Amino acid sequence: QVQLVESGGGLVQAGGSLRLSCAASGRTSSTYAMGWFRQAPGKERKFVASINWSSSEIYYTDSVKGRFTISRDNAKNTVYLQMNSLKPEDTAVYICAAGSSLNTAFDYWGQGTQVTVSS
């Protein structure tokens, strides 16, 4: 089992920045792939970004390209999401995920951290 704990969410004005962290514990050998998803109120969960173990494969959804950066520190078993130029439409619960491959569904999910962007 893998436990994922997110932190770093909060309230920020449009144009501001936040850095989310997700710390993994437990069977960290199952965290080859890690990612971030987000879920706005009343909407389905959507993919934001993902990264493999060596950081050689990184993917973003189109709406965050150029504004968000995913990274990881394997020594700390932590993945980060740097979010710049935030927009009100980025408001959501941001959820960390982990799995054995970028090509399959993620196996483990965190509880999420709230990000609210005011206009």
Side-chain angles (χ1 to χ4, degrees):
Q1 290 290 330
V2 175
Q3 293 77 43
L4 302 172
V5 179
E6 302 96 334
S7 61
L11 173 65
V12 64
Q13 289 187 332
S17 298
L18 282 174
R19 187 194 194 203
L20 306 183
S21 299
C22 172
S25 60
R27 190 180 177 187
T28 54
S29 60
S30 297
T31 60
Y32 175 86
M34 297 193 75
W36 288 96
F37 291 72
R38 63 187 180 186
Q39 187 166 19
K43 297 189 176 181
E44 62 182 16
R45 185 172 60 195
K46 294 186 177 180
F47 169 79
V48 175
S50 62
I51 187 170
N52 69 343
W53 179 263
S54 64
S55 302
S56 61
E57 292 185 65
I58 292 176
Y59 302 98
Y60 298 98
T61 191
D62 286 347
S63 62
V64 308
K65 286 180 180 177
R67 300 188 299 123
F68 291 11
T69 303
I70 189 171
S71 62
R72 65 189 296 166
D73 184 337
N74 293 330
K76 296 181 179 179
N77 295 318
T78 300
V79 65
Y80 304 97
L81 186 68
Q82 177 67 44
M83 305 186 295
N84 299 328
S85 302
L86 283 161
K87 304 175 181 180
E89 52 264 42
D90 294 318
T91 294
V93 175
Y94 283 71
I95 304 162
C96 177
S100 58
S101 170
L102 286 177
N103 298 316
T104 59
F106 287 98
D107 301 305
Y108 303 99
W109 299 85
Q111 293 296 310
T113 185
Q114 177 70 47
V115 171
T116 303
V117 185
S118 62
S119 57

